[in-house]
């Protein structure tokens, strides 16, 4: 049965600001990759709890490959859930230009499609899906996917709506998003050896930095996953890192301890960590989550605004 009839990806997942696609210059040919890990969430079932994902996009061949790891292996008898992945041009991954999806109860079946313009989407096309324990691999390729300016990837688990449309329900049971990028650019060697000795620069000490979090909009009583990037912009490694979250009254965090442990960061390395946020009934219209990253001798601070939505 076709992708559109069985489980079409909703507009919010495959929608896009078409001007981005029309105005963006063709991307340089390269393989862009990325990955993310996520903490265990006992609030949802093991087959829907995303623990990690990787993405690879070859702009020369238009090939896309995802691996998604869940806490437990997908149940092949479950007719209520679907696993989806997508690529986007925006850094927030909220508007993927292409998406692949497959039902849990169809082990080797998945389809993909792409948004080409306002109200213009490709017909659903077969994708490749394989399952090995708790790891699911989804891949697709096509000439329309070549030389796209994809810089962000997303993976999600969603419930399937009622027949006949069987659309994927929102909010998703779980979702993660992360950047993808190509290999570092190589610098060609000089044509001739230098005639003078260049002093070796003194390495910068280790440092900590927290990526600027996007403001969060939440409805009371609903959990939402938040992703934070912690990096070492210095030239030496840090020690083990702890990320502390402190929220305003009425804002509930998971883990309840408000702490996440990270291993030491290497020079220039960035790690992505996630936690969950929920607004209680007593939460104010605008709240704040203070973020503090610490390592031996180092500290970095940032804050995230949380706005309560009506209803």
């Amino acid at each position: 049965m076709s992708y559109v009839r069985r489980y079409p990806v909703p507009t919010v997942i495959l929608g896009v600001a078409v001007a981005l696609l029309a105005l963006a210059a063709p991307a340089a040919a390269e393989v862009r990759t990325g990955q993310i890990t996520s903490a265990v969430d006992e609030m949802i079932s093991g087959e829907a709890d995303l623990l990690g994902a990787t993405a690879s996009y070859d702009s020369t061949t238009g090939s896309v490959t995802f691996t998604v790891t869940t806490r437990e292996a997908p149940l092949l008898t479950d007719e209520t859930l679907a696993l989806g992945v997508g690529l986007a041009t925006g850094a927030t991954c909220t508007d993927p230009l292409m998406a692949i999806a497959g039902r849990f109860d169809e082990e080797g079946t998945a389809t993909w499609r792409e948004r080409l313009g306002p109200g213009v989407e490709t017909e659903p096309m077969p994708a490749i899906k394989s399952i090995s324990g708790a790891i699911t691999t989804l891949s697709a390729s096509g000439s329309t996917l070549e030389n796209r300016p994809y810089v962000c990837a997303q993976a999600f688990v969603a419930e399937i709506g009622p027949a006949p449309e069987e659309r994927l329900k929102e909010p998703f049971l779980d979702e993660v998003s992360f950047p993808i990028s190509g290999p570092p650019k190589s610098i060609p060697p000089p044509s001739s050896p230098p005639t003078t000795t260049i002093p070796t620069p003194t390495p910068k000490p280790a440092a900590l930095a927290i990526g600027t979090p996007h403001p969060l909009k939440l409805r009371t009583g609903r959990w939402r996953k938040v992703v934070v990037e912690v990096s070492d912009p210095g030239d030496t490694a840090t020690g083990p890192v702890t990320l502390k979250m402190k929220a305003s009254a009425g804002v509930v965090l998971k883990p309840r301890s408000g702490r996440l442990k990270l291993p030491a960061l290497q020079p220039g390395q960035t790690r992505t960590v996630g936690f969950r946020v929920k607004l209680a009934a007593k939460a104010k219209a605008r709240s704040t989550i203070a973020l503090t990253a610490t390592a031996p001798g180092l500290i970095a601070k940032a804050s995230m605004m949380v706005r309560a939505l009506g209803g």
Side-chain angles (χ1 to χ4, degrees):
M1 187 174 292
S2 75
Y3 178 81
V4 174
R5 293 178 182 173
R6 293 294 308 261
Y7 37 92
V9 177
T11 302
V12 68
I13 295 303
L14 202 55
V16 65
V18 178
L20 291 176
L21 183 60
L23 298 177
E30 63 180 355
V31 176
R32 289 172 226 145
T33 61
Q35 62 181 357
I36 190 174
T37 57
S38 182
V40 170
D41 185 354
E42 299 289 350
M43 301 293 291
I44 57 180
S45 64
E47 63 175 343
D49 187 9
L50 300 178
L51 299 187
T54 68
S56 175
Y57 167 60
D58 188 331
S59 63
T60 303
T61 62
S63 300
V64 180
T65 300
F66 277 82
T67 63
V68 181
T69 303
T70 49
R71 179 157 46 92
E72 298 176 4
L75 295 177
L76 300 181
T77 57
D78 194 336
E79 300 179 353
T80 66
L81 298 181
L83 174 66
V85 295
L87 294 176
T89 59
T92 60
C93 283
T94 56
D95 293 314
L97 288 174
M98 71 82 62
I100 312 172
R103 296 168 63 106
F104 275 33
D105 63 336
E106 296 182 347
E107 181 175 4
T109 303
T111 55
W112 72 273
R113 64 179 178 178
E114 184 183 21
R115 177 65 63 92
L116 301 178
V120 180
E121 297 176 358
T122 60
E123 289 295 322
M125 289 171 278
I128 299 174
K129 175 185 175 184
S130 63
I131 301 174
S132 177
I135 300 176
T136 300
T137 302
L138 292 167
S139 59
S141 62
S143 59
T144 61
L145 299 178
E146 296 174 4
N147 298 315
R148 294 299 196 200
Y150 300 140
V151 295
C152 194
Q154 180 186 43
F156 60 90
V157 176
E159 293 181 300
I160 302 172
E165 292 86 0
E166 296 190 347
R167 292 186 175 274
L168 302 187
K169 295 182 180 179
E170 293 183 81
F172 299 140
L173 295 179
D174 201 3
E175 61 180 310
V176 293
S177 59
F178 50 98
I180 60 173
S181 59
K185 304 298 182 182
S186 60
I187 301 175
S191 57
S192 59
T195 57
T196 58
T197 301
I198 300 176
T200 303
T202 302
K204 294 185 296 183
L208 283 178
I210 300 175
T212 303
H214 295 283
L216 195 62
K217 297 179 181 180
L218 288 178
R219 297 188 184 278
T220 302
R222 295 187 180 180
W223 286 101
R224 176 75 176 274
K225 178 170 284 187
V226 175
V227 175
V228 176
E229 291 184 347
V230 182
S231 60
D232 175 8
D235 292 334
T236 56
T238 71
V241 180
T242 299
L243 178 65
K244 303 176 183 177
M245 300 84 71
K246 184 176 181 181
S248 304
V251 180
V252 184
L253 301 177
K254 183 177 288 293
R256 295 182 181 275
S257 64
R259 292 170 178 261
L260 292 171
K261 299 289 187 180
L262 290 82
L265 295 174
Q266 299 303 310
Q269 183 180 20
T270 297
R271 289 188 178 274
T272 304
V273 295
F275 59 94
R276 288 185 172 271
V277 180
K278 181 176 72 172
L279 293 182
K282 63 180 181 179
K284 297 180 181 180
R286 293 179 182 270
S287 303
T288 302
I289 301 175
L291 305 173
T292 304
T294 58
L298 302 172
I299 188 170
K301 296 184 177 183
S303 63
M304 171 183 292
M305 297 298 299
V306 183
R307 178 182 175 187
L309 299 177

